[in-house]
Amino acid sequence: MTPARESQAKTWALATTLLTALAGGGALALARVPAGWLSGAMLAVAVLAALGRAAIFPTPLRQFAIALTGVGMGSGLTPATLHTLARYPLSLLLMAFALAGMTAASYLVLTRAPGVSRRTAFYSAVPGALSYVFIVAEPAGADMARLAVIQLFRIFVLMAIVPIVARIGVTIPAIAYAVDPIADTLVMLGLAWAVGAWLERRGLSSGTLYTAIVVSGLAHATGWAPGRFAPGAQVLAQTLIGAWVGARFVGFDWELLHRSLIAAATSFLAAFAVAAAFAWTAAYAVNLPFAETLVAFAPGGLEAMTMMAFALGLDPLYVGAHHLARFVLIGFALPFAARRIGGASADSLTPARPPAP
C-alpha cells in the first residue's frame, strides 16, 4: 500500500470510529442512560474494535479530548459549591474515610479475580471520577478494556440500586445551569493545553489533564467563569474520551468478558456496602436524610450522582459538593497510592527528572 493510500485508510478508519462513537453516545443519551455519551461511545467503539475496524487515536486528538475533559471537571468548583463544603466538615471527613474504605474493599476483591493485574485492580477500584481514571490509568499500564468493563458496570448498577435502597422512584429531569461564554472556554482550553504540554515535556504524564482541572477550577472558584462549559462541549468531551477508551478493546480477549463481569459485580457489592455504612453514619451525625447521604457517598461519578440528586428531590449542592470533594481527594491521593500499591506502575503519574542535556 502506498503512503497516500495508507494515510487515506487511517483517516477513514478514524472518521468511522468517531461517527460510531457519536451514534452510540447519542443512542444512550436519548435513552437517558447515566453518562450516556461517554458510555455509549465507549460501547459502540468497543464493538467496532471487536470487528477490527476501530482506529487508535492520534496524539493531538487525544490531548484535545483530555484538555476539554479537564476544563469540564474543573467547572464544578463554583463559589456555591465551596460554601456548601464549608457547612459540612464532619460529613466530608466521613466521606474521605469512605473513599479509602471503598477503594480498599474493591481492590482486595479484584486482586483475587482471575486475569486482573494489581494495576488494573487498583484503577478499577477507584470509586468515581471516571474520565479522570481512564486518562491516568492508560499510561500506568492498566488493562483499559477490563477497567472499562468494571467501571461501567458500577455506574449502571449504581443508578438502579441507589433509588431502591433510598426507597424513592427515579425520573430524570432537565438540569439548568449557567453556561460559560465560548470565549472563556477557549481561553481556559488554550492555557491548559499549552501549559500541560510543557509539563508533559518536563516528564509529568497527564500534565494536560491536571493543568486543565486547575485552570478551570480557579477560574470558576473566583467567579471569572460564570458556569459550566457549553452542552455541546460536554458532549464532545465525553464522546471523545469514550471513543478513545473503546478503541483500547482492540485485541481484548472476549472469552474472558464473563470473568470481568463477575469481578465487577463482587467488587461493586464490596464498595457499595462500605458506602452505605458510612452514609448511614453521616446521616445520623449531621442529621440529614439517609437518601441524601447515600447518593453523596455512593461510588459513582459526579455528573450521574448530581443528576440523581435532582431526580430524587435531594439537595444537589450537598451531593455535588461531596462528589467534587471526592474527585479532588482522588486527584491528590491517586499518584501516591498508585506508587505505594503498584510500585513502578505509578511512575508515569509523578514528575520525572528531566533528561540530561
Side-chain angles (χ1 to χ4, degrees):
M1 183 181 294
T2 65
R5 286 186 174 274
E6 184 177 356
S7 177
Q8 289 177 354
K10 288 182 178 179
T11 301
W12 175 249
L14 180 60
T16 302
T17 300
L18 295 177
L19 290 173
T20 301
L22 282 172
L28 291 197
L30 287 174
R32 297 188 179 272
V33 171
W37 283 104
L38 186 148
S39 54
M42 186 186 309
L43 293 172
V45 174
V47 172
L48 195 67
L51 299 173
R53 304 292 297 274
I56 301 298
F57 269 38
T59 298
L61 182 59
R62 180 173 60 86
Q63 291 298 93
F64 172 75
I66 290 172
L68 196 61
T69 300
V71 171
M73 290 176 177
S75 68
L77 196 63
T78 62
T81 303
L82 295 175
H83 177 72
T84 302
L85 289 172
R87 290 172 53 198
Y88 295 102
L90 178 57
S91 182
L92 289 169
L93 179 62
L94 289 170
M95 185 274 300
F97 283 112
L99 170 62
M102 286 186 288
T103 304
S106 185
Y107 174 76
L108 289 175
V109 170
L110 289 171
T111 52
R112 288 162 174 76
V116 180
S117 68
R118 290 181 64 190
R119 299 179 186 182
T120 304
F122 173 69
Y123 289 102
S124 299
V126 178
L130 186 61
S131 296
Y132 172 81
V133 171
F134 282 153
I135 292 169
V136 299
E138 194 266 347
D143 183 335
M144 296 299 291
R146 290 184 186 274
L147 171 63
V149 169
I150 295 169
Q151 288 280 12
L152 281 182
F153 179 90
R154 177 186 297 142
I155 290 180
F156 289 133
V157 175
L158 190 66
M159 295 298 287
I161 285 181
V162 170
I164 296 173
V165 175
R167 298 181 181 178
I168 305 175
V170 173
T171 55
I172 304 299
I175 301 174
Y177 47 79
V179 176
D180 290 336
I182 187 64
D184 292 358
T185 299
L186 291 175
V187 169
M188 290 185 287
L189 186 61
L191 182 61
W193 204 344
V195 176
W198 179 81
L199 289 174
E200 291 187 4
R201 287 196 298 269
R202 302 292 295 176
L204 177 62
S205 183
S206 301
T208 300
L209 176 67
Y210 297 136
T211 304
I213 293 170
V214 171
V215 168
S216 180
L218 290 175
H220 288 88
T222 58
W224 180 80
R228 304 294 294 271
F229 67 165
Q234 296 180 43
V235 168
L236 179 60
Q238 291 189 29
T239 302
L240 287 175
I241 292 297
W244 171 54
V245 176
R248 305 298 296 181
F249 278 82
V250 172
F252 180 61
D253 185 356
W254 291 94
E255 293 182 359
L256 296 178
L257 180 60
H258 67 287
R259 296 184 185 177
S260 298
L261 290 176
I262 292 173
T266 52
S267 66
F268 168 78
L269 290 175
F272 187 75
V274 173
F278 275 97
W280 183 87
T281 304
Y284 178 80
V286 299
N287 194 28
L288 286 174
F290 173 66
E292 199 156 282
T293 57
L294 181 63
V295 176
F297 281 55
L302 172 62
E303 297 87 352
M305 292 297 99
T306 304
M307 182 172 62
M308 181 179 287
F310 274 94
L312 299 176
L314 306 175
D315 182 356
L317 277 179
Y318 174 83
V319 172
H322 279 67
H323 280 278
L324 182 63
R326 181 164 68 189
F327 170 76
V328 173
L329 285 174
I330 290 172
F332 278 111
L334 192 60
F336 301 101
R339 176 174 291 279
R340 185 173 182 83
I341 292 176
S345 67
D347 289 345
S348 61
L349 292 178
T350 53
R353 190 173 296 174

